[in-house]
Amino acid sequence: DTGVSQDPRHKITKRGQNVTFRCDPISEHNRLYWYRQTLGQGPEFLTYFQNEAQLEKSRLLSDRFSAERPKGSFSTLEIQRTEQGDSAMYLCASSIGQGQGGYTFGSGTRLTVV
Amino acid sequence: GQNIDQPTEMTATEGAIVQINCTYQTSGFNGLFWYQQHAGEAPTFLSYNVLDGLEEKGRFSSFLSRSKGYSYLLLKELQMKDSASYLCAVRDPTGGGNKLTFGTGTQLKVEL
């Protein structure tokens, strides 16, 4: 296992279009997190899954955002009707349990909305 | 809510020691993490503190004082490759205790 994988690495889309990102966590990790990071800022929490259950969502996650983790394996994050303010790096992380050994982050998907 | 403060930028010399401070004000606390992030790359885990004291791991050490809401990351024998952003993050015990709140990061520049 080579870590947390995210696809695509880069996405450029026109305002108003829908986009979907995929995250494949480390296989034995039961917890999966989505974060968003803008330039010069730390990552901001979006949502968290334990297995297939979405247990927490940030207020940052508007109705245009939806995340799923079918079968408790990979996860998708969809943004509908994208806005320029959605431009950011979207990071996925996974952990075993509460992650005392650290949360492992993927390399992220950089979204640019034009 | 959580408020995490760390310096925006620091500069240090190769071979030297640098200390990056982090202060936090939180409604709850369940551990503090330090991550390293090179430009355009994923954050990588450096250290975790949940009890007061110093945790040492090679050239990196991290200290925590829960009563003071304070942590620092100590980097020894600095190398050019240590030039990166260093992120302090506090785990929020609410909602299942899994949300990390990050500071804005400290951009460290190591010079010759």
Side-chain angles (χ1 to χ4, degrees):
Chain A
D1 190 89
T2 56
V4 178
S5 299
Q6 292 189 245
D7 183 69
R9 289 295 306 274
H10 303 275
K11 178 70 177 179
I12 300 174
T13 190
K14 291 184 178 180
R15 189 176 53 179
Q17 298 294 304
N18 299 343
V19 294
T20 300
F21 311 141
R22 178 181 170 120
C23 171
D24 287 88
I26 293 174
S27 56
E28 61 266 28
H29 286 186
N30 62 334
R31 299 189 178 192
L32 185 147
Y33 317 81
W34 285 98
Y35 284 81
R36 180 172 68 186
Q37 186 175 27
T38 53
L39 196 63
Q41 301 295 315
E44 296 175 294
F45 172 80
L46 293 179
T47 190
Y48 142 68
F49 291 85
Q50 181 168 313
N51 300 314
E52 67 275 9
Q54 187 174 19
L55 298 185
E56 190 173 358
K57 292 171 61 173
S58 164
R59 290 190 301 272
L60 293 174
L61 217 63
S62 75
D63 292 344
R64 297 184 297 106
F65 288 71
S66 62
E68 294 182 341
R69 193 185 182 196
K71 303 179 183 178
S73 56
F74 72 92
S75 176
T76 58
L77 177 68
E78 181 183 16
I79 309 174
Q80 297 182 328
R81 305 181 303 281
T82 52
E83 302 172 356
Q84 286 189 322
D86 298 330
S87 295
M89 175 75 83
Y90 290 83
L91 294 164
C92 176
S94 68
S95 72
I96 296 176
Q98 290 208 352
Q100 282 85 343
Y103 298 52
T104 303
F105 280 84
S107 296
T109 294
R110 179 165 296 285
L111 173 66
T112 302
V113 181
V114 297
Chain B
Q2 316 275 39
N3 186 45
I4 299 172
D5 291 313
Q6 48 182 135
T8 304
E9 296 179 338
M10 297 184 72
T11 301
T13 304
E14 189 179 35
I17 299 173
V18 70
Q19 177 175 311
I20 302 174
N21 296 324
C22 171
T23 58
Y24 62 90
Q25 298 164 329
T26 63
S27 54
F29 178 84
N30 190 20
L32 186 143
F33 294 77
W34 282 96
Y35 280 83
Q36 180 192 62
Q37 187 176 29
H38 286 98
E41 297 183 10
T44 55
F45 170 75
L46 291 178
S47 69
Y48 169 70
N49 295 71
V50 67
L51 300 176
D52 291 352
L54 188 68
E55 295 283 341
E56 296 186 83
K57 193 184 293 186
R59 294 191 298 115
F60 296 80
S61 302
S62 57
F63 172 83
L64 175 67
S65 169
R66 288 172 295 170
S67 63
K68 295 181 180 179
Y70 168 69
S71 173
Y72 68 72
L73 179 70
L74 195 70
L75 292 77
K76 303 175 185 176
E77 301 170 11
L78 280 172
Q79 302 174 10
M80 298 298 289
K81 67 178 183 179
D82 297 328
S83 293
S85 179
Y86 291 84
L87 298 160
C88 172
V90 172
R91 180 157 59 197
D92 186 337
T94 61
N98 288 283
K99 179 173 65 179
L100 291 184
T101 300
F102 285 84
T104 55
T106 298
Q107 188 66 45
L108 174 66
K109 182 179 180 182
V110 180
E111 298 178 328
L112 291 172

